[in-house]
Amino acid sequence: MKDLIIAANWKMNKTIPECISFISDLDIRLSQWELNPKLKKLGILIFPPAISLHPMNGRSKFISLGCQNIYFEESGAYTGEISVKMIREYTEYALIGHSERREIFKETDKEINKKIKTSLDAGLAPLLCIGETLDEREADKTFDRLAEQLRSDLSGFPPIEIEKIIFAYEPVWAIGTGRTATPEQAQEVHAFITEEINKISGRENKRMILYGGSVKPENSKELLTKKDINGALIGGASLNVESFFAIIEKSLELV
Ligand code: PEP
C-alpha cells in the first residue's frame, strides 16, 4: 500500500484529446523522479470521464486510472450505465458514493453497498466517499451521519474485503466551494472514521482515508501532514496540470 494517494476526480470535464494531453504532460513531469524511490510511495490516480479510460490507458507508468462510477449489474436494459466488465481492462479503481452521485443522482447507501461489492468482485479497488452536509455539521450530526453511511455502505463485507477499500472523507460543504475543513477538523473526523471502520470490521487496522474538499497547492501540505490523512481527492485543482503537479510535488516531500 502506498504511503499517500493523490487522486484527481475530473467529473464531467475534458474531452478525449484533452485527457490524453494532460496525462502525457503529467507523465513527462513525473519522469524526472523515475529513479527517486519516494515516487513509489505515492499513488497517483486519475478518475477521468469513462469515455477517456481506454484512450488514456497505458500512457503513463506513474499514473493509475479509475472509473468515476459503475453500475452493479453485469449487462442488460440499464440505459446509460457502464458495467465493470466494460472498463475492467482500463482501470484499477472505482469511485463510489461521491456526494454528487448521492445528491444529484439520488444514489442510496443500498446501491452504494452493491457497487462496492461489484467492484471488489471484479478486482477493482473501491474508493468510497462519505461526508456530511453543512446542515448536518451545523446540527452537530457529523459523526452520526458518517457512522450511518459507513454502517450501511459496508454492511455484509468481511474484514478482509473491507481492507481493500480506500475511503475518502469529503465534507459536502467543502466540495467545489473553496471552503476547506481545517487540518484539525479533518484529522478529528479521519480519526473517528478509522475507529468506526475498525469497529465495523472487528479489526484494528490502518486505513487509507483521503481528504477531499477544495484541496489546492496552498493547503495540501498542511492537510497531508496530519496523522490519519493518507492522501487527497481533488476536483477543481486537478483539472489544471500545473496545480495537480504542484500538489504531487508537495506530497513527495512527505513520503
Ligand atoms: C471532489 O469532487 O471530490 C472534490 C473534492 O472537489 P473539489 O476539490 O473541487 O472541492
Side-chain angles (χ1 to χ4, degrees):
M1 196 168 271
K2 303 288 182 183
D3 287 7
L4 278 179
I5 293 177
I6 305 299
N9 173 18
W10 285 350
K11 314 188 187 194
M12 199 175 71
N13 292 295
K14 295 193 188 293
T15 60
I16 295 174
E18 286 166 347
C19 291
I20 292 176
S21 151
F22 186 112
I23 195 167
S24 309
D25 187 341
L26 185 59
D27 183 74
I28 292 169
R29 290 168 194 249
L30 293 171
S31 58
Q32 67 180 293
W33 297 316
E34 184 158 16
L35 301 176
N36 182 344
K38 284 185 168 203
L39 191 58
K40 292 212 164 56
K41 294 182 156 203
L42 217 55
I44 302 168
L45 272 53
I46 297 181
F47 292 87
I51 195 172
S52 290
L53 285 168
H54 182 210
M56 285 174 79
N57 184 42
R59 288 189 186 260
S60 172
K61 60 180 172 200
F62 309 112
I63 304 162
S64 303
L65 299 178
C67 193
Q68 291 178 18
N69 182 34
I70 49 162
Y71 197 56
F72 46 80
E73 297 291 350
E74 200 179 287
S75 61
Y78 305 102
T79 303
E81 293 294 335
I82 294 172
S83 75
V84 278
K85 203 173 153 192
M86 296 168 186
I87 46 108
R88 178 67 199 92
E89 278 173 72
Y90 321 115
T91 172
E92 292 169 60
Y93 298 86
L95 193 63
I96 297 178
H98 190 278
S99 65
E100 286 151 18
R101 300 284 330 160
R102 292 178 189 259
E103 274 187 19
I104 305 170
F105 301 100
K106 308 293 170 222
E107 226 170 69
T108 63
D109 284 305
K110 212 170 173 179
E111 287 165 330
I112 289 165
N113 178 271
K114 285 194 201 174
K115 289 185 177 193
I116 297 172
K117 179 159 181 9
T118 306
S119 163
L120 287 168
D121 288 349
L124 298 184
L127 201 174
L128 170 65
C129 302
I130 56 169
E132 82 286 2
T133 61
L134 187 58
D135 285 352
E136 285 158 353
R137 177 157 279 260
E138 286 177 347
D140 222 2
K141 296 220 166 87
T142 298
F143 295 127
D144 290 347
R145 180 68 189 122
L146 294 168
E148 198 178 270
Q149 287 177 333
L150 285 170
R151 285 190 186 279
S152 318
D153 298 348
L154 300 180
S155 164
F157 293 113
I160 194 154
E161 296 288 272
I162 295 179
E163 246 120 80
K164 296 176 191 159
I165 303 172
I166 302 166
F167 297 84
Y169 167 55
E170 297 210 307
V172 181
W173 47 271
I175 297 179
T177 59
R179 262 184 87 175
T180 324
T182 64
E184 291 69 32
Q185 273 175 329
Q187 166 56 33
E188 185 189 22
V189 174
H190 280 232
F192 170 81
I193 293 172
T194 307
E195 256 176 55
E196 277 305 301
I197 303 168
N198 286 347
K199 270 194 229 162
I200 293 168
S201 76
R203 282 197 194 167
E204 296 272 320
N205 263 333
K206 177 165 165 43
R207 311 287 168 183
M208 285 307 276
I209 308 173
L210 318 188
Y211 169 79
S214 298
V215 175
K216 37 188 184 276
E218 299 77 43
N219 61 20
S220 62
K221 204 166 171 183
E222 239 194 309
L223 285 157
L224 293 171
T225 43
K226 292 290 174 196
K227 179 174 158 277
D228 294 305
I229 302 184
N230 313 108
L233 179 56
I234 307 148
S238 74
L239 291 172
N240 173 286
V241 74
E242 274 84 22
S243 56
F244 189 54
F245 179 71
I247 296 172
I248 295 171
E249 201 170 19
K250 285 169 195 291
S251 310
L252 205 67
E253 295 166 21
L254 301 172
V255 292

